Amino acid sequence: MDEKLEREKERKTGRRKSKRSVEESMELLEQLLAELEASETSLEDAFSLYEKGMKLAGEINERLQFVEEQMEVLEDRYAEPSL
């Protein structure tokens, strides 16, 4: 994607593009969940983990939604016309 467009997207969404892959993000989310479920986690730590997890889940969702939209574009562009 063009660098100028990427900066504009960052400005509008307030988010920077993640350097992690979706798979790495999912693994990190699973780790956060395991920590959150640990009985020795304090309320303050649990809230912090919850907040991080929600942000991470939002990033993952955005990236998956983007891929889905791109797949639809490709399908529309290259699908054989039905007779």
Side-chain angles (χ1 to χ4, degrees):
M1 185 180 287
D2 183 66
E3 192 173 322
K4 185 177 179 182
L5 291 175
E6 188 66 34
R7 284 194 308 265
E8 181 64 20
K9 182 179 176 187
E10 287 175 13
R11 187 185 67 74
K12 286 181 180 179
T13 63
R15 293 186 179 177
R16 296 196 78 112
K17 187 175 180 181
S18 176
K19 301 288 186 205
R20 288 185 292 266
S21 69
V22 171
E23 294 80 8
E24 290 170 331
S25 295
M26 291 293 288
E27 287 178 21
L28 181 55
L29 189 57
E30 288 176 11
Q31 291 171 5
L32 290 172
L33 182 58
E35 286 182 54
L36 187 58
E37 291 175 338
S39 61
E40 64 272 358
T41 304
S42 71
L43 180 61
E44 293 82 9
D45 289 343
F47 181 77
S48 177
L49 291 168
Y50 177 80
E51 183 178 21
K52 289 176 185 177
M54 291 302 292
K55 287 179 182 178
L56 191 54
E59 290 173 14
I60 293 167
N61 188 47
E62 281 182 8
R63 293 172 72 195
L64 292 175
Q65 189 173 15
F66 174 77
V67 170
E68 186 177 306
E69 290 169 1
Q70 293 302 306
M71 289 174 67
E72 289 174 6
V73 167
L74 292 173
E75 287 174 3
D76 290 345
R77 184 179 298 162
Y78 298 111
E80 292 183 30
S82 58
L83 299 174

